[in-house]
């Protein structure tokens, strides 16, 4: 993909581990200066240190994406530190399970606040700098769950991930006049610290459900993010890309 990331400043939320860390590593490897964002500053710090040791340029920042004030402070500090913001990867997300019978309003709100409002707040807070960038790019990490599929125990999660897509389509129209694009990756099951917390049985079952025969790797997602964030994707906005090893394709179990 050439040298189109040299000197770009990228904010990646939820970058202390999992998919976010993979996105941060890929962007840093391609020459971007990366703001590694998570709630725990020490974890963001460790990730930024590793990226720097590997030859990249990265710095840690603390923010809770569910709080506008927190994200706004983070965006200001990133812009001050790096001199602007060109790419925003709104990736931070949580996926606790709760059955319909037992789900409390608080559990619903926690998932919606982080995953849906978190995307809105992250975009809003970074917007002043994205508008000044010559090629502002926003990439959301959504999911196949919600926009395309369902999973028992994840009705709140599925709603939050579908909300990101609805948000993205209207936001794309508002942002177009500033030449800012916004797109979303829809990962299937990707082996991360968060997914591992679902347990061995879940991981075994899910890897058997993927036609390509394995769980996703964080770099599988990072490569898709890289495309949406690139100069080469300047004419692509409001779109989704499923990265799931074919998991949503089979119409019946005979496919396996
Ligand atoms: P993960 O391993 O649990 O990592 C989540 C990251 O988000 C951590 O860095 C965490 O750090 C941060 N985070 C959580 N809540 C936050 C908040 N309120 N503010 C700021 N940072 C926050 O998760 P993952 O598996 O990499 O998932 C990342 C994204 O991909 C999520 O949006 C998820 O829905 C989506 N996704 C994942 C999969 C999968 O199979 N793994 C599939 C589809 C979609 P702190 O705790 O320090 O804040």
């Amino acid at each position: 993909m050439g040298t189109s990331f040299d000197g770009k400043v990228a904010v990646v939320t939820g970058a202390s581990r999992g998919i976010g860390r993979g996105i941060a590593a890929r962007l840093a490897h391609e020459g971007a200066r990366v703001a590694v964002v998570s709630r725990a500053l020490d974890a963001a710090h460790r990730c930024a240190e590793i990226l720097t040791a590997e030859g990249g340029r990265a710095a840690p920042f603390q923010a809770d994406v569910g709080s506008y004030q927190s994200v706004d402070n983070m965006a200001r500090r990133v812009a001050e530190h790096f001199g602007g913001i060109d790419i925003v990867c709104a990736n931070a997300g949580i996926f606790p399970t709760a059955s319909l019978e037992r789900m409390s309003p608080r559990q619903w709100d926690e998932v919606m606040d982080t995953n849906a409002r978190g995307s809105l707040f992250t975009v809003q807070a970074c917007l002043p700098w994205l508008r000044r960038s010559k090629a502002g790019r926003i990439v959301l990490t959504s999911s196949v769950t919600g926009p395309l599929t369902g999973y028992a125990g994840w009705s709140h999660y599925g709603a939050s991930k579908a909300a990101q897509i609805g948000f993205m389509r209207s936001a794309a129209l508002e942002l177009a006049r500033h030449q800012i694009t916004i797109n979303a990756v829809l990962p299937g099951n990707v082996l991360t610290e968060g997914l591992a917390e679902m347990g061995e049985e879940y991981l075994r079952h899910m890897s058997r459900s993927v036609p390509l025969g394995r769980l996703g790797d964080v770099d599988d997602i990072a490569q898709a993010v890289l495309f949406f964030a690139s100069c080469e994707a300047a004419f692509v906005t409001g779109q989704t890309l499923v990265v799931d090893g074919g998991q949503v394709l089979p119409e019946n179990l005979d496919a396996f």
Side-chain angles (χ1 to χ4, degrees):
M1 225 173 262
T3 55
S4 63
F5 291 91
D6 269 349
K8 300 270 185 203
V9 177
V11 171
V12 185
T13 67
S16 63
R17 66 181 207 175
I19 290 173
R21 186 168 58 197
I23 295 169
R26 177 53 51 193
L27 286 166
H29 183 81
E30 299 292 329
R33 294 174 287 160
V34 181
V36 175
V37 181
S38 73
R39 284 170 301 182
L41 185 59
D42 54 342
H45 195 269
R46 278 196 298 278
C47 176
E49 252 179 11
I50 293 169
L51 298 186
T52 306
E54 288 170 355
R57 285 174 292 175
F61 295 89
Q62 195 276 336
D64 178 344
V65 297
S67 153
Y68 182 75
Q69 198 181 349
S70 175
V71 185
D72 188 50
N73 284 338
M74 175 274 293
R76 288 173 196 279
R77 281 183 279 120
V78 171
E80 209 174 279
H81 184 83
F82 284 129
I85 298 172
D86 304 290
I87 297 163
V88 174
C89 301
N91 165 81
I94 55 172
F95 36 93
T97 53
S99 68
L100 284 179
E101 284 87 357
R102 289 168 169 268
M103 190 186 302
S104 65
R106 191 182 169 155
Q107 284 173 307
W108 171 272
D109 286 346
E110 190 190 12
V111 169
M112 294 301 284
D113 283 356
T114 307
N115 299 358
R117 284 190 354 151
S119 296
L120 165 70
F121 290 165
T122 304
V123 170
Q124 281 182 319
C126 295
L127 204 49
W129 293 279
L130 288 172
R131 283 164 64 166
R132 282 175 221 153
S133 170
K134 287 195 176 63
R137 299 278 184 273
I138 301 164
V139 188
L140 309 178
T141 308
S142 176
S143 175
V144 294
T145 312
L148 298 173
T149 67
Y151 194 87
W154 269 342
S155 58
H156 51 352
Y157 177 72
S160 73
K161 291 284 144 179
Q164 286 182 296
I165 303 304
F167 161 72
M168 174 193 75
R169 294 199 174 111
S170 294
L173 296 176
E174 290 189 37
L175 295 167
R177 81 179 86 113
H178 305 295
Q179 298 300 311
I180 299 168
T181 68
I182 177 167
N183 294 285
V185 288
L186 276 58
N189 281 272
V190 179
L191 190 52
T192 63
E193 292 89 333
L195 200 77
E197 286 164 12
M198 295 291 293
E200 276 298 320
E201 183 47 36
Y202 175 90
L203 296 181
R204 248 194 316 277
H205 187 64
M206 279 306 170
S207 56
R208 284 201 302 267
S209 310
V210 180
L212 285 177
R214 64 172 175 89
L215 296 174
D217 181 83
V218 295
D219 199 48
D220 292 322
I221 309 305
Q223 293 286 2
V225 171
L226 198 69
F227 169 67
F228 281 139
S230 70
C231 288
E232 289 82 351
F235 206 49
V236 181
T237 195
Q239 301 304 310
T240 59
L241 180 56
V242 175
V243 186
D244 72 340
Q247 189 172 351
V248 302
L249 292 176
E251 286 189 35
N252 63 35
L253 295 175
D254 295 343
F256 292 90

